[in-house]
Each structure stands twice: as C-alpha cells, then as structure tokens.
Amino acid sequence: MTRHLNWHSAACTHGGKVRPCNEDGYFNHSPAGLWAVADGLGGYQNGDVASRMVIEACSSLTDSESAAPLPLEQRQLALHRVLERVNRHLGCEKTLDGSQAIGSTVVALLLSPEGNAVCLWAGDSRCYLLRRRRLYQITRDHSLVQRLIEQKRINRREADSHPQRHVLTRAIGGAPELALETVELELERGDRLLLCTDGLYRELSEEQMVAGLCQDTPGAAVTHLATRVLHGPATDNLTALAVFVS
C-alpha cells in the first residue's frame, strides 16, 4: 500500500540585536510542500532585495496550483528555472558604488505525500534532519572555510574563528550560471526538518538545536530556537523554518 505522509510547518525571522536591516527571508507553504530560506549576502547593499526576490520566485510556483500537483521531479525543475531567472537578474545588478553584485543564499525543500523530498541550496544556509533524536546536517556549506576543511588545511574549530569564514563560493547572483547542489531524501513519520540561516545555527550547539526540534509543534520549535539565539549577542539576522512530518 502506498504510504501517505502529512506535515505541518512554522517559521520565524528576526533582525538580531545589531544589524539595522533584516536581510533574511522565508517561504512557508505547507499545502504545496515547498519551503525556502534566503539570506541576503552580508554587508552587501540591497541584500534584503536579493533575498526577497528569491522568496518571491518560490511563491510564484504556488500562484497557479491545480487540484493535481505536479510530480516532484517537475516541481524541482520549475523551482530551478525560477531561481535561474533570479540569478540572471541579480547578476546584472550592482550595489550603489558599483563594486559588488547583489546576491543571496538559498536553501529550499520540496516534499511529496509519498515521503520523497528534494533539498536544493546555494550558499551557507542549511537544512537539518532530526530523526529519532539524532541530528543530521543535510546540506554542505558553499563557503571558503568548508573548502579548506575538505582540503584538510584547517579543522572545524579553526573554521569558527577564521577571518574569511563568511566568504561564500556559491550564491544566487554570484556567478553567470547558477550552481545549485541537490540532495534527495526519503522521509519517515516523525522526521523533523529545519531550514535556517547562519545567524541561527552559528549561535547554537547541536544539543540546543535538538532540544528546539523536540518541542511539541513547529511553532514552538522555531520560537524556542530563536529565543535561545536572542538570549546571546545575536549579531546577525536569524531565521528558522521547521517542518514536522506525521
């Protein structure tokens, strides 16, 4: 018998305690099985515009929903196409002083009732999976320090304090051709997923993230996680989006 999974979700974003503008954004649409988180590139003017364009592109995919949703593969292709259009548009934009392109990270999740899921991303916003109280990082950061770690030139502890820890190797608007990385997943009842920006995960230990995702509802989970970050210095914008599979 074909299994049929249900899910519910919640999201929150906060500007943090230091930055004057929140350049994070999210798209939370459980009926379509589509979620996304974006982070305008830190320090770039109009980063909030870039992240908003990413989120609006995701939203456009639900504007003409039909009674019979498209197969997951077709939805993935459609998402890739709209993000490519944003990438081309942002590649033509410049900051006010003309020195740098405007860009954004993205991490997106597509889910089907059969339990098949696809995660796509560019940059260092992340997707985590909590299964039977064990936390897995699904995404791999597209960043300079991650590359140095993989080359065994630094370790993860050194990466946390590296002076170029915020330098990305991929982003929406970062290159003429968009390079999204993709992971396919088979989800189970009880799985819990978290999409988040670096302003959230950099401030939390693995134990704190697990505790947040073990809350009773997605709304309680994202509130718990954001509150934990805001108890600290919260020097960056932060966004959390939780999806609970039942």
Side-chain angles (χ1 to χ4, degrees), residues 213-235:
L213 288 172
C214 284
Q215 300 297 307
D216 291 339
T217 67
V222 297
T223 298
H224 180 98
L225 291 167
T227 300
R228 292 287 301 194
V229 174
L230 291 169
H231 280 161
T235 58

Side-chain angles (χ1 to χ4, degrees), residues 4-11 26-36 58 62 65 69 75 109-113 193 195 218-219 241-246:
H4 187 97
L5 299 182
N6 297 309
W7 52 76
H8 48 300
S9 61
Y26 66 80
F27 182 68
N28 175 25
H29 201 300
S30 280
L34 173 59
W35 303 268
C58 295
T62 66
E65 291 175 9
R75 294 164 58 205
L109 179 69
L110 288 160
L111 180 56
S112 74
L193 296 117
L195 306 182
L241 191 159
V243 181
F244 285 15
V245 181
S246 60

